[in-house]
Amino acid sequence: MDAVSSLAMAGRTLLEEEELEEGTETPSTHLGNDSGAASEEATTEAGGVSAGLARGDESASSGSGPPKAAEAADSGDGGIYDSDGSPGDGGDGGGLSGDDAAVTSRVSAAPRSLLKPPLTLEIIPSQPIAIPDKCVFILGTGRSGSTSLLDAVNQLPNYLIRGEQGGAFWYLYMSWRLLVQSAKHAYEFHTHAKQAAVRFGERPSGWLSFNTVKQVYDTYAVRKKLPWFNDMHHSRVTDAARAFYLAAYGYHGPGIVSGFKEIRFVCGRAFPSPGCNYEDFDDFLQFLRSLCTDVKVLLNSRSSAAIADNGKLGKMLVRNGVINDTAKFEADLTVTHSWYDRYVKEHPSSGFRVLMEDMFNPEKNATLARRLLKFLGESTEREISFVRMPSWSTRDGSSKHDTSKSRSRDRDPKELRRHLRRLITDVAAATTVDDGATAAAAVAALGGSVSGEEEGGDL
């Protein structure tokens, strides 16, 4: 046993003697107290720390019986604490060495104000956070009718689905992941949080008291530097993400279905390619599903991922400097379509596939509308239309709401064409694909024209 172990044991012995003299009892909620263990109920809430960063699942399973020594003893502190959180023997099973005995003698003679009590684990009541009852998120591939789909859903009286926000929730998701990961970097605190989860349950263990967190820090700070020390816990971090969503979108209260649509959560954008995979996509959707009690995800695209069938999207992304390689663009779009199909197959209660062609086909859109209403849990007798909002491709001057036409009227046509020519030239000069083709060549491969609205800029 080293000197630190001796100091900790001597401090505990002195504390117990002081309690006996004063007739006090240590609270039984302290995991590091042997005297209260016999009076504790045998039932404990067991639950391991989240197995994956993106599941957001903090429900604790219940089991009977005392905490397992192997779980509670996983402290990573070299045996300083036993399975109950009290000072241990370092795992050597032996008595005090001559040096340790000398240290113990000096500790016993030290003023009591210099001795720290053994580490205790106690929790404070967790503060419940309001969670929106129902949310709808529309994820699309761009230029595939996602705005018309949003409008169809918003025709329901209690729905308010918003438009794009520049992929903001991707960055929220990444922040959530980093904060959860930082808890594991803070190994000292993470170890004791796992002990608390065995004693109190998975979610309550995220609300350790200030006294406990301070004790953990003071216990280890005298032994080594703690650059990663923090008391992050996945339950509280998830609550923080929910609070952000609630303030941004869900603030209208019960009975209102909120949400947003976004075209940036695709392979090649939020998910960099090559190498983007379904597991990351599914992970992100699991995060979105953690923001509300009931989440419905509408996955929208055209039926084909071929370049020829997605010319408008390709030209838009080239114009905005997002892509310049049409072969890579088609590969990314193919991967994204496969993600959409797989997710709906694996999660039929939360995922619904919408093809643009079905939305605007008079022979199919009525059936699609009924299926969509049923998926959302609404009456199939309601009437919703996919064509109420004027089409972006309208060029007959009949719609005053066509924003691309409004921009054209606001600017001189010659000046607009010059601006687009400069944009293509700048992109071509700044980026060159592997085969030597420029972004201008990519524009030509997609039809040679760059007219259309500015939608879906860089992520």
Side-chain angles (χ1 to χ4, degrees), residues 212-431:
T212 294
V213 178
K214 189 71 170 172
Q215 283 189 64
V216 173
Y217 179 82
D218 288 341
T219 297
Y220 291 97
V222 297
R223 297 166 53 192
K224 62 180 181 179
K225 293 182 178 180
L226 302 173
W228 279 93
F229 183 85
N230 63 71
D231 60 336
M232 290 295 175
H233 191 277
H234 67 89
S235 294
R236 290 200 335 276
V237 173
T238 298
D239 279 356
R242 287 168 171 166
F244 180 89
Y245 178 83
L246 183 72
Y249 291 101
Y251 65 96
H252 289 297
I256 303 301
V257 180
S258 60
F260 57 79
K261 78 107 169 176
E262 187 56 79
I263 64 170
R264 293 163 177 83
F265 304 144
V266 297
C267 182
R269 304 196 73 182
F271 304 92
S273 63
C276 49
N277 60 76
Y278 176 78
E279 287 69 25
D280 289 339
F281 177 73
D282 181 64
D283 211 45
F284 174 64
L285 289 190
Q286 293 291 341
F287 169 73
L288 290 183
R289 288 173 61 185
S290 74
L291 301 178
C292 309
T293 302
D294 180 17
V295 173
K296 303 295 185 183
V297 182
L298 309 183
L299 299 168
N300 162 242
S301 72
R302 295 178 181 242
S303 59
S304 169
I307 294 177
D309 298 320
N310 291 272
K312 288 186 177 181
L313 174 61
K315 287 180 286 186
M316 178 187 75
L317 297 180
V318 168
R319 181 178 68 246
N320 292 344
V322 178
I323 66 167
N324 60 4
D325 184 344
T326 56
K328 178 176 176 294
F329 163 70
E330 183 172 351
D332 289 342
L333 203 56
T334 299
V335 170
T336 302
H337 283 207
S338 70
W339 288 353
Y340 288 3
D341 294 337
R342 179 176 173 180
Y343 186 84
V344 170
K345 182 178 180 180
E346 294 181 355
H347 306 277
S349 63
S350 64
F352 186 85
R353 195 78 165 88
V354 181
L355 300 179
M356 187 196 76
E357 290 81 359
D358 293 345
M359 292 169 56
F360 302 116
N361 185 336
E363 297 180 358
K364 294 184 177 181
N365 54 20
T367 300
L368 173 61
R370 286 193 296 270
R371 291 179 53 238
L372 177 59
L373 289 168
K374 183 178 180 180
F375 172 75
L376 295 175
E378 303 294 332
S379 171
T380 56
E381 299 301 319
R382 290 189 178 277
E383 293 186 4
I384 59 174
S385 171
F386 299 106
V387 295
R388 185 181 75 157
M389 184 175 287
S391 169
W392 293 118
S393 61
T394 301
R395 291 294 181 267
D396 59 3
S398 62
S399 173
K400 64 180 180 180
H401 300 292
D402 191 330
T403 57
S404 62
K405 288 174 53 184
S406 297
R407 280 194 295 271
S408 297
R409 287 197 299 270
D410 292 342
R411 302 179 62 176
D412 179 76
K414 292 182 179 180
E415 180 188 352
L416 182 60
R417 284 195 292 272
R418 285 195 298 270
H419 168 73
L420 294 177
R421 253 195 249 77
R422 285 195 301 271
L423 182 61
I424 294 174
T425 302
D426 292 344
V427 172
T431 58

Side-chain angles (χ1 to χ4, degrees), residues 131-180:
I131 304 176
D133 294 331
K134 188 173 182 179
C135 301
V136 173
F137 301 124
I138 299 174
L139 276 57
T141 56
R143 302 311 301 250
S144 297
S146 59
T147 305
S148 296
L149 177 58
L150 175 151
D151 179 65
V153 174
N154 276 342
Q155 291 167 35
L156 297 171
N158 59 322
Y159 283 65
L160 184 57
I161 314 302
R162 281 75 159 200
E164 299 171 28
Q165 17 67 357
F169 276 77
W170 170 257
Y171 299 104
L172 181 65
Y173 164 66
M174 294 302 294
S175 297
W176 176 85
R177 284 187 60 169
L178 289 172
L179 289 172
V180 172

Side-chain angles (χ1 to χ4, degrees), residues 1-2 4-6 8-9 72-93 191-192 195 220 223:
M1 178 184 291
D2 58 20
V4 176
S5 301
S6 301
M9 177 170 284
D74 181 19
S75 61
D77 55 11
I80 298 302
Y81 295 98
D82 282 333
S83 62
D84 63 353
S86 61
D89 60 4
D92 57 11
T191 295
H192 295 293
Q195 292 179 343
Y220 291 97
R223 297 166 53 192

